[in-house]
């Protein structure tokens, strides 16, 4: 490692990004997704700051990102790929096979899990996935440790020519800590791909051997002394022992400290949950009568311990779902150690404000247009800010990236088989999601003769995760220009015969287009109709400057019917309990004036105040 | 020195910035710092909470009933996250009402300065004034200068000073 520089406050994701740059990694690819998004952004920042030569890309999806990183590693150079846990589902195809074939230059796969979940569609445990693939996995408990584990993961990866996973959870990704930084390592490796068809092509005849060798690697790693879990409390003679990893381990430690039991309980911290150290398994099972395993989110360590007497997620001594917050672990420990709790009253969860689309968000206008034009319609949608359209009656289904288009086709075939009187199906998908996984679904829907409307919500960004650029924006991760790929070109090339574009702020035109599209779907020559609803995200400050801005107020005519609140839910429209009328919060309102059309009595008044005109 | 602080409010109220300032202040004072914050879906105007732990801690999360101080960007958040603060802990609240906490109309002060965006800094200044935080005003002032975006430094400092003078 290079010379030590001073400590800096880094977010977990930044610490990981820093670790990647310091390790001499020369390619990092990713697709944005909470809680992993800031990893790549910090690689951009740190590579820039230290002038480290790193190819950094927002790939179109996680499968692509994984394969790009894999190809890079085949040349002997270090590479990394970062994603959220459900991203690994998308990348699972190359991921599974890469365990067999292995790598040349180190490959670190950062997969951020989201127990809780706070911002995801599942609570899946990627350590479990790693075990399924037979890929070693590190489980950091704080940002500084996560950074250190990046280096350890590269070493392990190169020593055994195997991809290695680093699995932080939301609480590590979004924690901040003082982390010491070094100058990046320069490895000066030249690209050199050594042809070896038996390995890199690996037809089935080679695979049994590769599988055997993979098993041997895992067996060896499972016996590495340096991966033997460390006891961080107790003196090794306690009757009780706890085995834990990640943030759950950090929480367990603090609660034991709070209970004054640091000396009385043996707590083992696992850095590498898979493969769990074999000697450790033997020793723990032999030495302790009462063992508790605390880990997130699946019983990965627990199952490898293969001891039916263990208390944990399987025995339900630890809840077998949800995040292991300090409150949850506190209760678990009190029961396991038979220590009565400090009469901690069960605090009722008070519900906070639910999230909603920003004031002036173009999606709100689009959803309002869709749900009013087709009151009987069915509305599959997708993953992004626009999932919040469910509050507006504009989203009936949301499954996984890109699913809305294929699900729309499935719904159509079901209804169409029952007769011509099928409901209009309108699916909504964001621009970034369309690039990610929408295109195959579109080709399939066109090809198989489905008839429904696709509204592509094009706000020229990946808004939900912090506004990363899409291929249509044409900017690379570091802000330099790339080759632009246009959504309309892709739509036309997929065989779509109805393609229109419109700004959803213009509700009138948008509604006309929706009706046209609906008629097209049902016409003799009909099929899939696509409308691109184009308007920049409100977070794009530059675009906002060009936007016309109106002064919008609610007049005395307001009857307090709350239609605008229930059907439109703009955070700038506020119901005043005293006057029983709605008013516009001028600090929040962006003056889009779309709400004007929503009020049934015309109480929302619009006055022009400059901007473009 | 050990202190646990929560900061509660809604997405867009500058909770993350206050979290960062406290973390940098801890670093400046040579203390260990761990924080936890909310990102993603919840930030679209939803309720958010940050945890800041200064001193020898391992976990970024604060257990309910253990926080020494809570900074609340609006009074409605006291009902939601108030239980994180110890029974005799400090609750510093931006409010135009009175309640069982140390309330201050930080939003009105910020409005006087010309931008509601400074509400978080006014509240922070007030918390420093009331000695509810581990750091003093000099440290915080230096950190604000360092961590603010160039265009925001002035407003942030004015907000902070305003809070200190209440
Ligand atoms: S961030 Fe952009 S896309 Fe997301 S809700 Fe706000 S305006 Fe809409
Ligand atoms: S502004 Fe219009 S829609 Fe909203 S509450 Fe008043 S009358 Fe009803
Ligand atoms: S004009 Fe209406 S819809 Fe647009 S931001 Fe203001 S209140 Fe919300």
């Amino acid at each position: 490692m290079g010379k030590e520089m001073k400590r800096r406050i880094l977010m977990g994701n930044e610490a990981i990004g820093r670790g990647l740059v310091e390790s001499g990694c020369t390619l990092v690819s990713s697709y944005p997704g909470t809680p992993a998004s800031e990893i790549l952004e910090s690689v951009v920042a740190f590579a820039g700051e230290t002038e480290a030569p790193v190819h950094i890309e927002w790939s179109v999806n996680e499968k692509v990102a994984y394969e790009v990183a894999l190809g890079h590693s085949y040349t002997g150079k270090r590479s990394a790929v970062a994603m959220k846990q459900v991203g690994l589902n998308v990348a699972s195809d190359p991921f599974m096979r890469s365990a067999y074939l292995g790598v040349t230059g180190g490959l670190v796969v950062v997969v951020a899990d989201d127990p809780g979940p706070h911002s995801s569609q599942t609570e899946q445990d990627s350590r479990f996935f790693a075990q399924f693939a037979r890929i070693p996995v590190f489980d950091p408990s704080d940002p500084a440790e996560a950074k250190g584990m990046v280096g350890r993961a590269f070493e392990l990866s190169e020593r055994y020519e195997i991809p290695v996973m680093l699995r932080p959870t939301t609480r590590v990704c979004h924690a901040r800590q003082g982390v010491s930084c070094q100058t990046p390592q320069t490895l000066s490796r030249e690209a050199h791909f050594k042809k070896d068809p038996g390995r890199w092509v690996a037809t089935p005849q080679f695979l049994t051997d590769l599988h055997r060798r993979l098993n041997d690697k895992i067996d060896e790693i499972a016996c590495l002394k340096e991966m033997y879990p460390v006891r961080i409390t107790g003196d090794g003679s306690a009757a009780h022992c706890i085995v834990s990893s990640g943030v759950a381990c950090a929480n367990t430690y603090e609660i034991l400290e709070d209970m004054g039991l640091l000396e009385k309980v043996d707590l083992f911290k696992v850095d590498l949950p898979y493969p769990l150290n074999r000697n450790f398994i033997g020793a723990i099972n032999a030495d302790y009568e009462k063992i508790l395993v605390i880990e997130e989110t699946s019983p990965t360590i627990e199952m490898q311990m293969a001891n039916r007497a263990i208390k944990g997620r399987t025995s339900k001594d630890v809840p077998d779902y949800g995040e292991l917050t300090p409150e949850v672990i506190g209760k678990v420990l009190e029961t396991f150690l038979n220590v009565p709790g400090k009469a901690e009253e069960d605090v009722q969860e008070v519900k906070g404000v639910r999230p909603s689309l920003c004031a002036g968000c173009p999606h709100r206008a689009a959803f309002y247009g869709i749900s009013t034009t087709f009151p009987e319609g069915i509305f599959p949608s997708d993953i992004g800010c626009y999932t919040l359209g469910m509050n507006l009656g504009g989203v009936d289904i949301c499954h996984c990236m890109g699913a809305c288009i294929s699900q729309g086709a499935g719904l159509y075939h079901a209804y169409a088989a029952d007769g011509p009187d099928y409901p209009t199906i309108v699916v909504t998908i964001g621009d970034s999601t369309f690039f990610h996984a929408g295109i195959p679904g579109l080709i399939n829907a066109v090809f198989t003769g489905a008839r429904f409307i696709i509204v592509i919500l094009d706000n020229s960004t990946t808004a939900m995760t912090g506004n990363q650029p899409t291929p249509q924006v044409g900017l690379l991760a570091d802000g330099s220009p790339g080759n632009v790929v246009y959504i309309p070109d892709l739509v036309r090339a997929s065989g779509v015969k109805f393609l229109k574009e419109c700004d959803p702020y213009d509700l009138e035109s948008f509604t006309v287009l929706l009706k046209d599209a609906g008629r097209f779907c049902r016409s003799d020559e009909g099929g899939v109709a696509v409308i691109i609803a184009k308007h920049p995200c409100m977070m794009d400050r530059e675009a906002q400057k060009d936007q016309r801005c109106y002064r919008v107020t609610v007049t005395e005519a307001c009857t307090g019917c709350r239609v605008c609140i229930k059907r439109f839910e703009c955070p700038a429209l506020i119901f005043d309990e005293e006057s029983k009328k709605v008013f516009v919060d001028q600090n929040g309102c962006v003056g889009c004036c779309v709400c004007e059309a929503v009020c049934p009595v015309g109480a929302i008044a619009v006055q022009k105040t400059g901007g473009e005109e | 020195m050990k202190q646990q602080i929560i900061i509660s409010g809604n997405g867009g109220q500058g909770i993350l910035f206050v979290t960062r300032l406290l973390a940098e202040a801890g670093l400046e004072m040579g203390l260990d710092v761990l924080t936890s914050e909310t990102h993603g879906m919840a930030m679209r105007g939803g309720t958010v909470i940050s945890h800041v732990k200064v001193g020898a801690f391992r976990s970024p999360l604060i257990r309910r009933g253990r926080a020494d101080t809570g900074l609340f960007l609006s009074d409605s958040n006291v009902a939601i996250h108030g239980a994180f603060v110890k029974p005799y802990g400090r609750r510093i609240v931006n409010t135009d009402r009175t309640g069982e906490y140390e309330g201050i109309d930080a939003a009105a002060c910020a409005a006087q300065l010309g931008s509601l965006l400074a509400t978080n800094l006014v509240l922070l200044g007030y918390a420093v004034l009331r000695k509810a935080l581990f750091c003093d005003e000099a440290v915080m002032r230096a950190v604000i200068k360092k961590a603010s975006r160039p265009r925001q430094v002035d407003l942030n400092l004015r907000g902070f000073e305003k809070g200190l003078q209440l």
Side-chain angles (χ1 to χ4, degrees):
Chain A
M1 270 299 144
K3 79 172 190 323
E4 176 124 359
M5 285 152 66
K6 70 169 194 237
R7 276 202 324 157
R8 293 161 71 155
I9 296 283
L10 296 185
M11 197 201 288
N13 283 339
E14 294 170 339
I16 292 169
R18 179 80 201 188
L20 293 172
V21 173
E22 284 181 10
S23 300
C25 182
T26 45
L27 179 141
V28 186
S29 54
S30 181
Y31 181 82
T34 312
S37 309
E38 300 85 0
I39 297 172
L40 194 91
E41 283 158 0
S42 68
V43 173
V44 172
F46 290 128
E49 187 185 303
T50 60
E51 294 175 7
V54 190
H55 171 92
I56 308 163
E57 69 169 61
W58 285 123
S59 307
V60 154
N61 66 32
E62 294 87 353
K63 173 172 150 66
V64 171
Y66 195 94
E67 290 154 352
V68 169
L70 198 56
H72 188 83
S73 132
Y74 282 8
T75 69
K77 296 188 177 190
R78 286 188 166 180
S79 59
V81 52
M83 63 192 79
K84 69 181 293 180
Q85 88 285 41
V86 290
L88 186 59
N89 302 342
V90 178
S92 61
D93 212 357
F95 178 69
M96 294 299 294
R97 182 159 153 100
S98 67
Y100 286 73
L101 275 54
V103 298
T104 313
L107 172 61
V108 173
V109 186
V110 185
V111 186
D113 280 356
D114 188 22
H118 297 271
S119 210
S120 304
Q121 63 268 35
T122 71
E123 274 198 304
Q124 67 194 68
D125 186 339
S126 300
R127 302 173 314 155
F128 213 44
F129 215 137
Q131 179 177 13
F132 177 41
R134 313 216 85 193
I135 283 176
V137 53
F138 283 94
D139 191 357
S141 64
D142 62 39
E145 192 174 83
K147 176 169 173 286
M149 283 178 174
V150 170
R152 291 168 75 188
F154 271 118
E155 279 161 31
L156 195 66
S157 172
E158 291 186 342
R159 186 158 149 206
Y160 292 94
E161 298 203 350
I162 190 172
V164 174
M165 184 191 287
L166 176 69
R167 193 287 303 241
T169 54
T170 303
R171 298 303 187 182
V172 174
C173 294
H174 293 158
R176 287 182 198 273
Q177 189 178 25
V179 177
S180 54
C181 299
Q182 276 90 25
T183 44
Q185 225 178 334
T186 327
L187 295 174
S188 314
R189 294 186 188 167
E190 268 179 32
H192 176 64
F193 172 66
K194 206 166 127 239
K195 292 192 183 188
D196 181 1
R199 182 175 178 192
W200 303 127
V201 183
T203 45
Q205 67 186 54
F206 294 98
L207 277 165
T208 27
D209 192 45
L210 285 169
H211 193 176
R212 182 183 53 73
R213 280 200 288 195
L214 170 60
N215 292 345
D216 290 346
K217 287 179 191 177
I218 291 296
D219 286 345
E220 266 184 61
I221 295 169
C223 294
L224 290 176
K225 266 211 225 58
E226 63 263 38
M227 298 301 171
Y228 196 97
V230 177
R231 181 172 46 73
I232 57 170
T233 73
D235 59 6
S237 70
H240 293 75
C241 108
I242 302 171
V243 180
S244 188
S245 71
V247 173
C249 184
N251 282 320
T252 303
Y253 179 95
E254 282 193 7
I255 294 163
L256 288 175
E257 188 178 33
D258 226 33
M259 294 168 121
L261 292 175
L262 284 186
E263 262 102 74
K264 302 222 167 58
V265 179
D266 294 341
L267 170 60
F268 291 89
K269 179 175 179 300
V270 178
D271 285 355
L272 194 77
Y274 179 80
L276 188 60
N277 189 283
R278 298 266 160 85
N279 300 325
F280 175 75
I281 298 173
I284 294 293
N285 282 336
D287 293 353
Y288 295 91
E289 255 167 56
K290 292 190 79 179
I291 306 168
L292 173 69
V293 181
I294 303 180
E295 59 184 324
E296 287 179 320
T297 312
S298 297
T300 307
I301 294 174
E302 201 179 312
M303 282 165 61
Q304 292 175 83
M305 303 271 295
N307 175 349
R308 303 272 313 262
I310 281 181
K311 307 278 185 201
R313 292 207 182 238
T314 312
S315 66
K316 296 194 197 281
D317 286 81
V318 179
D320 56 357
Y321 58 89
E323 186 180 12
L324 297 180
T325 58
E327 292 75 29
V328 173
I329 297 179
K331 285 224 179 77
V332 170
L333 291 182
E334 281 158 16
T335 312
F336 179 70
L337 300 170
N338 206 4
V339 182
K342 274 192 204 158
E344 202 164 302
E345 81 271 40
D346 257 317
V347 211
Q348 281 288 304
E349 281 280 339
V350 184
K351 275 249 185 305
V353 185
R354 70 176 178 191
S356 65
L357 298 169
C358 302
C361 176
H363 301 335
R364 175 178 289 106
F367 285 125
Y368 185 77
I370 292 167
S371 59
T372 46
T373 309
F374 303 109
E376 309 295 324
I378 302 178
F379 311 128
S381 188
D382 226 289
I383 313 280
C385 282
Y386 49 96
T387 312
L388 293 169
M390 67 183 280
N391 299 350
L392 303 167
V395 173
D396 296 326
I397 299 172
C398 169
H399 201 79
C400 62
M401 292 292 282
C404 64
I405 297 181
S406 331
Q407 285 182 317
L411 286 163
Y412 164 77
H413 292 305
Y415 277 101
D418 295 351
D421 205 16
Y422 58 87
T424 303
I425 295 159
V426 186
V427 315
T428 43
I429 183 167
D431 47 350
S432 183
T433 312
F434 179 71
F435 279 110
H436 178 284
I439 299 162
L442 176 60
I443 295 172
N444 188 69
V446 170
F447 170 61
T448 55
R451 293 162 181 254
F452 60 97
I453 303 171
I454 300 173
V455 177
I456 300 177
L457 302 166
D458 180 1
N459 59 3
S460 306
T461 190
T462 317
M464 181 83 240
T465 50
N467 296 74
Q468 294 79 11
T470 68
Q472 186 168 257
V473 176
L475 292 178
L476 300 176
D478 63 359
S480 63
N483 298 315
V484 183
V485 179
Y486 292 100
I487 293 176
D489 291 349
L490 293 169
V491 172
R492 264 184 233 108
S494 303
V496 172
K497 299 283 183 286
F498 182 104
L499 171 64
K500 294 277 155 61
E501 197 173 301
C502 174
D503 183 338
Y505 269 22
D506 181 356
L507 264 181
E508 219 177 291
S509 313
F510 183 60
T511 309
V512 170
L513 278 187
L514 282 167
K515 287 183 181 150
D516 286 352
R519 272 192 296 273
F520 169 80
C521 290
R522 290 170 198 272
S523 67
D524 291 348
E525 299 297 301
V528 174
V530 174
I531 298 172
I532 299 176
K534 203 171 169 64
H535 193 104
C537 167
M538 291 299 109
M539 294 289 154
D540 183 341
R541 303 277 170 225
E542 280 309 303
Q544 261 220 65
K545 280 188 201 143
D546 301 336
Q547 185 170 317
R548 280 175 304 168
C549 179
Y550 302 90
R551 184 174 165 78
V552 177
T553 49
V554 176
T555 66
E556 275 303 302
C558 172
T559 60
C561 69
R562 287 180 189 252
V563 165
C564 57
I565 306 253
K566 287 205 199 100
R567 292 284 289 119
F568 206 61
E569 208 189 79
C570 174
L573 291 171
I574 295 168
F575 188 79
D576 180 36
E577 292 295 343
E578 264 164 47
S579 66
K580 301 276 179 239
K581 284 183 195 302
V582 163
F583 69 95
V584 177
D585 167 17
Q586 297 297 342
N587 288 309
C589 174
V590 301
C592 71
C593 94
V594 179
C595 57
E596 187 187 16
V598 176
C599 176
V601 299
I604 301 182
V606 173
Q607 203 189 326
K608 290 202 172 131
T609 58
E612 201 178 61
E613 288 159 315
Chain B
M1 157 63 82
K2 263 186 148 186
Q3 191 180 38
Q4 310 195 58
I5 307 155
I6 62 142
I7 308 144
S8 166
N10 293 332
Q13 286 187 315
I15 308 269
L16 293 188
F17 187 59
V18 174
T19 310
R20 258 193 69 205
L21 291 176
L22 289 170
E24 294 286 351
L27 184 77
E28 198 70 31
M29 294 166 67
L31 301 166
D32 287 331
V33 188
L34 260 174
T35 75
S36 174
E37 43 195 62
T38 319
H39 287 240
M41 193 65 122
M43 285 175 71
R44 298 273 165 266
T47 304
V48 292
I49 180 171
S50 277
H51 304 221
V52 177
K53 295 166 91 170
V54 183
F57 289 100
R58 281 173 180 258
S59 161
L61 292 182
I62 296 174
R63 194 174 173 191
R64 255 171 235 272
R66 302 297 196 281
D68 303 291
T69 296
L71 304 183
F72 297 88
L73 267 296
S74 66
D75 45 23
S76 54
N77 285 76
V78 178
I80 304 167
H81 292 136
F84 276 95
V85 184
K86 287 177 177 163
Y88 297 102
R90 312 284 297 271
R91 293 173 179 77
I92 312 285
V93 185
N94 166 37
T95 182
D96 54 6
R97 282 175 268 185
T98 51
E100 286 173 25
Y101 41 66
E102 298 166 70
I104 183 72
D105 198 343
C109 297
Q112 281 172 22
L113 295 174
S115 172
L116 280 178
L117 292 177
T119 307
N120 55 350
L121 269 295
V122 175
L123 194 73
L124 183 66
Y126 184 67
V128 170
L129 171 77
R130 299 296 301 245
K131 306 221 177 315
L133 297 174
F134 63 94
C135 54
D136 64 19
E137 54 176 276
V139 170
M140 191 45 86
R141 204 174 279 127
V143 166
I144 293 172
K145 281 186 195 150
K146 207 176 80 181
S148 299
R149 270 186 250 150
R151 278 172 43 208
Q152 243 96 56
V153 184
D154 184 53
L155 178 67
N156 287 345
L157 281 175
R158 282 192 296 137
F160 182 66
E161 300 297 339
K162 181 97 192 169
L164 282 174
Q165 287 153 16
L166 292 167

